[in-house]
Amino acid sequence: ASRKKIARGVPEQLIQRLVRKLTYQVLWDALLIFLPPLAAILYFLVHFYLHGWLSLSSAALLGFLALGVCAVAIVVRYRPNVPSRRAAARLIDDRAGAQDRFLTLATLQPSPAAASLLARLRLEAAGLQSRIALKREFPYKIKRPVYLSLVVSLVAVLLFHLLLPVAHS
């Protein structure tokens, strides 16, 4: 019965699920940091177009340029922050008090010589994995740069509207 339980909840799958969860969190961080400035820039471009300061082709070109820069910025922010299997296994070990069992599973290369060690590690890690609930242990938290990006974008839009009458005169 315990072998079937281990086969269903293989500890390596827990590591992979955590990697996936943390990867989505990093992507959300990048999106939430760069989308408010993009929205502000697109708002400025639409405003300039509607008031005749930019032609449609200029506004569209600048909009696509802003979209491209935003996409590059998201990728540049996202790529280096994607967690590795090793980092995820270390987090699980820390939270479960697993004394590097998950880290060893994530980094150990399967070989015939290490098969018994690997089976024992899986058995021990499977017993410890019930201590980890990914939703509870690793919830998504909005980071400080997201708030900063949103505030700076809103301040820019407000200043734009406050200073626009000065520019007209």
Side-chain angles (χ1 to χ4, degrees):
S2 66
R3 292 224 183 262
K4 288 182 181 179
K5 186 177 181 181
I6 293 170
R8 270 188 278 135
V10 179
E12 288 94 336
Q13 291 176 352
L14 178 67
I15 296 169
Q16 192 58 37
R17 286 193 342 254
L18 181 59
V19 167
R20 193 175 322 118
K21 182 176 182 66
L22 295 176
T23 299
Y24 286 136
Q25 290 181 1
V26 168
L27 180 60
W28 273 112
D29 287 343
L31 287 170
L32 290 174
I33 288 171
F34 293 110
L35 287 182
L38 175 66
I41 290 169
L42 293 177
Y43 175 77
F44 297 150
L45 291 174
V46 167
H47 189 274
F48 288 147
Y49 167 70
L50 291 176
H51 288 87
W53 291 9
L54 284 176
S55 67
L56 179 60
S57 59
S58 298
L61 180 65
L62 289 172
F64 283 121
L65 181 66
L67 192 61
V69 168
C70 180
V72 168
I74 289 170
V75 169
V76 166
R77 169 105 179 156
Y78 167 76
R79 293 292 296 172
N81 293 322
V82 172
S84 64
R85 286 179 48 85
R86 175 186 293 252
R90 187 174 305 278
L91 285 171
I92 292 172
D93 280 332
D94 290 344
R95 299 281 166 81
Q99 300 175 344
D100 293 339
R101 285 180 179 89
F102 286 93
L103 179 62
T104 305
L105 277 175
T107 56
L108 189 66
Q109 296 298 324
S111 70
S116 64
L117 171 67
L118 201 57
R120 187 171 138 237
L121 270 174
R122 277 194 185 112
L123 185 63
E124 290 174 2
L128 295 169
Q129 85 181 41
S130 64
R131 296 181 183 178
I132 297 292
L134 293 182
K135 288 183 180 181
R136 184 189 70 228
E137 297 287 333
F138 303 98
Y140 180 71
K141 296 176 187 164
I142 296 177
K143 313 291 186 300
R144 187 180 184 108
V146 172
Y147 292 118
L148 184 62
S149 171
L150 186 60
V151 167
V152 168
S153 298
L154 288 174
V155 167
V157 168
L158 288 173
L159 283 176
F160 176 75
H161 279 291
L162 290 174
L163 296 176
L164 196 59
V166 175
H168 280 293
S169 64

